[in-house]
Amino acid sequence: MKRLLLLAFVAFACNRTAQVPSTGTPSDSMQTLVALTAEQQRTSGITLDSLRQGSLERTIELRGSIELPPQNLISISFPLQARVRSISGLVGRAVRRGDALVTLESMPLVELQERYLSTRAQLEQAQREYERQLKLSPSAATTERALLEARTQLRERKIALAALAERLRLAGIEPTRLADTAISRTVVLTAPRNGYIAAINVVVGQTVEPNTRIIELVDVSDVHLVLRAYERDAPLIQPGQRLVAWAAADSSQQFPAEVVAVSRTLDSTRTIELHCHFVRYDHARLRPGMFMRARLSVASERGYLVPQSAVVAWENKHGVFIPDSKGYRLVEVRVIASDGHRAIIAFDGGRPPSVIVTQGAYWLLMKLKNTDQQEEV
């Protein structure tokens, strides 16, 4: 008796489990026809349009920033210890090659000029002594050793003078213009090329150590738009392709650019680096360091061009609704390309329809899923 009761309970539980309604997720057995009443048709907002052939560019969304190549970043320093006497200009001011930037006073510079002039005088004396020994040599009035010593001293003085001359040139002093009574304690640092003052790292009266960054300039004549692309898009990007870019903080203004170089290696984030040149750089709107976004067109796809609102998705599938004598029928399609507003679709089986639903497709899909649920219950 107990065994019969247990079997009856199991059978009752199985029947209850079979009657649980489905979750409503469309499946392969889902109906494809939606029938509407006249009132539903009037209030649904469904719009129909003809199916047309068209093309759609495939685009890649990119992010990056405006950067300057290393050769356009200029750091101005002084090789000797010095004191800042005056500063000309402000950060952001445009400068031209040769414009005065900073005036320095340097005691080591005075000592360097003194050593140069002293060595030059010693060289003149060594030259005369060598010539004298050379004249005495044929008459045996001097020894060969004395002649060699005079020649060696002459060479040493020439080497020392040449080294001091280069040190003076590094300090901004032309040694050929030095005179015994024209030693200067000041030197003016000038702009080596056209650009803008990016930073002033000293103040008047400050003592700066050798090779301290005193002023930094930027040359914006060669500005790069540096973007990053994901690994999957790397094979599609080549130098010479055109793109449009805009500031991340303001998308109202777009700037055309061209890809000039593409890195051949991936970094730790699995992305590649693109270097681009602006077709026309807008100095008023763009600045080095600004975050940018860009859109690059890499290919053009042809097929049936429809609004994105016409395509519905379910269970990793896509479809469109077409009018039927009994309502609207869901037809599966393959999405070839999409830009978020339009899509290129293909019908893999059967003859393509002439008219599709362009507005209200998702409303029909929900209606279809609800109908399918009610029938399962």
Side-chain angles (χ1 to χ4, degrees), residues 158-176:
K158 286 182 177 180
I159 293 171
L161 189 69
L164 290 170
E166 292 304 315
R167 291 186 63 183
L168 284 171
R169 290 189 178 96
L170 287 175
I173 301 294
E174 178 52 48
T176 57

Side-chain angles (χ1 to χ4, degrees), residues 18 26 36 59 85 100 131 147 164 189 207 214 233 260 264 274 291 349 353-354 357 372-373:
L36 302 180
T59 60
R85 181 176 179 178
E131 292 174 354
L147 179 61
L164 290 170
L189 303 184
T207 298
I214 298 175
D233 298 323
V260 295
R264 298 300 175 184
L274 286 68
F291 290 109
S354 58
V357 174
D372 195 52
Q373 285 182 352

Side-chain angles (χ1 to χ4, degrees), residues 60 62 229-239 241 262-266 270-274 296 298:
I60 300 175
L62 305 168
Y230 290 110
E231 179 180 2
R232 65 174 181 270
D233 298 323
L236 304 175
I237 302 173
Q238 299 293 333
Q241 292 174 322
V262 181
S263 66
R264 298 300 175 184
T265 57
L266 297 170
R270 310 303 298 174
T271 60
I272 61 170
E273 191 173 82
L274 286 68
L296 173 65
V298 295

Side-chain angles (χ1 to χ4, degrees), residues 117-137 142 146-147 149-151 153-155 157-158 180:
L117 293 173
S118 298
T119 303
R120 189 169 68 181
Q122 293 171 7
L123 175 62
E124 293 172 355
Q125 181 181 354
Q127 181 69 37
R128 289 193 295 267
E129 176 63 20
Y130 173 70
E131 292 174 354
R132 189 179 72 85
Q133 293 291 339
L134 198 61
K135 290 179 181 179
L136 295 175
S137 179
T142 184
L147 179 61
E149 288 179 352
R151 182 182 299 168
Q153 289 183 2
L154 177 62
R155 293 183 61 187
R157 296 294 181 270
K158 286 182 177 180
D180 295 349

Side-chain angles (χ1 to χ4, degrees), residues 25-317:
T25 303
S27 62
D28 292 339
S29 60
M30 184 181 72
Q31 293 191 25
T32 59
L33 181 65
V34 181
L36 302 180
T37 65
E39 180 63 19
Q40 289 175 330
Q41 178 68 42
R42 186 178 64 83
T43 60
S44 63
I46 294 174
T47 303
L48 304 178
D49 199 358
S50 301
L51 188 65
R52 303 181 184 89
Q53 290 274 353
S55 61
L56 184 66
E57 287 187 336
R58 182 178 177 184
T59 60
I60 300 175
E61 298 291 331
L62 305 168
R63 297 174 184 269
S65 60
I66 299 176
E67 298 182 11
L68 292 169
Q71 61 269 25
N72 284 42
L73 302 173
I74 307 159
S75 177
I76 299 176
S77 59
F78 191 65
L80 304 172
Q81 187 184 65
R83 185 177 68 87
V84 180
R85 181 176 179 178
S86 64
I87 300 174
S88 302
L90 298 171
V91 173
R93 196 195 81 177
V95 295
R96 300 189 65 82
R97 180 178 180 179
D99 286 354
L101 300 175
V102 177
T103 301
L104 301 175
E105 293 179 335
S106 174
M107 182 58 67
L109 179 63
V110 174
E111 296 172 353
L112 183 60
Q113 295 173 85
E114 178 188 9
R115 288 175 57 191
Y116 175 82
L117 293 173
S118 298
T119 303
R120 189 169 68 181
Q122 293 171 7
L123 175 62
E124 293 172 355
Q125 181 181 354
Q127 181 69 37
R128 289 193 295 267
E129 176 63 20
Y130 173 70
E131 292 174 354
R132 189 179 72 85
Q133 293 291 339
L134 198 61
K135 290 179 181 179
L136 295 175
S137 179
S139 61
T142 184
T143 63
E144 183 178 355
R145 180 177 179 179
L147 179 61
L148 290 175
E149 288 179 352
R151 182 182 299 168
T152 300
Q153 289 183 2
L154 177 62
R155 293 183 61 187
E156 289 176 350
R157 296 294 181 270
K158 286 182 177 180
I159 293 171
L161 189 69
L164 290 170
E166 292 304 315
R167 291 186 63 183
L168 284 171
R169 290 189 178 96
L170 287 175
I173 301 294
E174 178 52 48
T176 57
R177 298 178 182 176
L178 278 181
D180 295 349
T181 58
I183 295 178
S184 175
R185 70 176 186 274
T186 63
V187 63
V188 178
L189 303 184
T190 60
R193 58 201 291 188
N194 299 345
Y196 292 85
I197 299 177
I200 300 176
N201 303 320
V202 295
V203 295
V204 174
Q206 178 180 344
T207 298
V208 294
E209 296 301 319
N211 301 318
T212 299
R213 288 186 177 183
I214 298 175
I215 283 189
E216 298 175 32
L217 304 180
V218 292
D219 179 4
V220 296
S221 62
D222 183 21
V223 177
H224 285 196
L225 173 61
V226 181
L227 302 170
R228 307 205 72 83
Y230 290 110
E231 179 180 2
R232 65 174 181 270
D233 298 323
L236 304 175
I237 302 173
Q238 299 293 333
Q241 292 174 322
R242 290 296 185 100
L243 55 87
V244 291
W246 60 92
D250 180 15
S251 60
S252 61
Q253 184 74 25
Q254 294 188 341
F255 307 93
E258 180 180 348
V259 179
V260 295
V262 181
S263 66
R264 298 300 175 184
T265 57
L266 297 170
D267 63 9
S268 58
T269 62
R270 310 303 298 174
T271 60
I272 61 170
E273 191 173 82
L274 286 68
H275 284 261
C276 311
H277 278 166
F278 289 99
V279 174
R280 181 176 297 174
Y281 184 73
D282 191 336
H283 292 272
R285 294 177 178 268
L286 301 177
R287 296 285 191 280
M290 288 181 64
F291 290 109
M292 302 291 291
R293 299 184 64 182
R295 182 180 299 112
L296 173 65
S297 298
V298 295
S300 180
E301 301 285 354
R302 285 197 59 83
Y304 292 105
L305 183 62
V306 300
Q308 191 68 48
S309 59
V311 183
V312 296
W314 80 98
E315 293 185 347
N316 297 322
K317 299 178 182 179

